[in-house]
Amino acid sequence: MNLKASNITFSYNKKRQILNDVSLSLKSNEIIGLMGDSGSGKSTLCKILAGHITNYKGEVTLDGNKISDKGFYPVQLIFQHPEKTMNPKWKMNKVLNESWAPPQELKDTFGLKDQWLTRWPSELSGGELQRFSILRALNPKTKFIIADEISTMLDAVTQVQIWEKLINHAKANNIGILAVSHDPDLLEVICDDILYFDEINNL
Ligand SMILES: Nc1ncnc2c1ncn2[C@@H]1O[C@H](COP(=O)(O)OP(=O)(O)O)[C@@H](O)[C@H]1O
Ligand SMILES: [Mg+2]
């Protein structure tokens, strides 16, 4: 499959334009890095690709078709701060099963411990929470993952572990990943190709 953003232009308000005529293309099974300065608009572009922002100019398509906002959205966004995407009043078991029920094998792969399932989000570390976010995003209907600084908050060992598992799963299931980071060393290791945000954003 092919996820394509064509001529995306967007601003939150009249004061500043964030994106101008941005285009990119991502194929299943590909891991493409997106590198750029903080505050430049990377997360904004991620939200557009994943359907969280819809009032932009231009087009996002999957194999040439507009993506329906009805039903499951095949482009899933994983954020830097997992706790912000979780209901603090839900135990982790409910948080995990909100999108789908991941099989035990996958929970084991990502090192999810059973004892975490009965805790509140506030009772887990960032790395532990991020494993839940990733599992939630791996719904079998997911075709592309937009990984927006997903390992920035993690220590080096956890970062490598999580990326290794995610990439293995993506390759085995023909999922494409856009990996957003300001860390060139990380992107060099995990990506097939790297895009530079200031080169694709025509401000
Ligand atoms: N909801 C919002 N309303 C207004 N401005 C925003 C909003 N979200 C982000 N911004 C601004 O848009 C710019 C780009 O932000 P962002 O896409 O998060 O950049 P990056 O992910 O590259 O750090 C920043 O200046 C930020 O302050
Ligand atoms: Mg960001």
Side-chain angles (χ1 to χ4, degrees), residues 86-97 111-129 132:
M86 295 173 181
N87 187 334
K89 294 180 180 152
W90 285 6
K91 292 252 171 99
M92 293 312 297
N93 201 20
K94 190 168 175 186
V95 169
L96 179 62
N97 289 282
L112 232 73
K113 299 209 172 79
D114 280 343
Q115 72 204 55
W116 297 347
L117 295 170
T118 50
R119 294 195 202 158
W120 306 106
S122 61
E123 295 171 336
L124 292 173
S125 74
E128 290 162 357
L129 289 176
F132 282 85

Side-chain angles (χ1 to χ4, degrees), residues 102-161:
Q104 189 61 41
E105 190 195 341
L106 206 55
K107 290 193 226 175
D108 292 342
T109 300
F110 280 87
L112 232 73
K113 299 209 172 79
D114 280 343
Q115 72 204 55
W116 297 347
L117 295 170
T118 50
R119 294 195 202 158
W120 306 106
S122 61
E123 295 171 336
L124 292 173
S125 74
E128 290 162 357
L129 289 176
Q130 197 60 296
R131 292 166 201 260
F132 282 85
S133 290
I134 292 169
L135 271 185
R136 289 204 303 184
L138 296 180
N139 185 307
K141 293 181 196 148
T142 298
K143 305 291 181 217
F144 287 92
I145 286 191
I146 313 298
D148 188 6
E149 307 266 13
I150 63 167
S151 60
T152 304
M153 305 294 283
L154 311 179
D155 61 78
V157 175
T158 311
Q159 172 162 324
V160 170
Q161 267 180 0

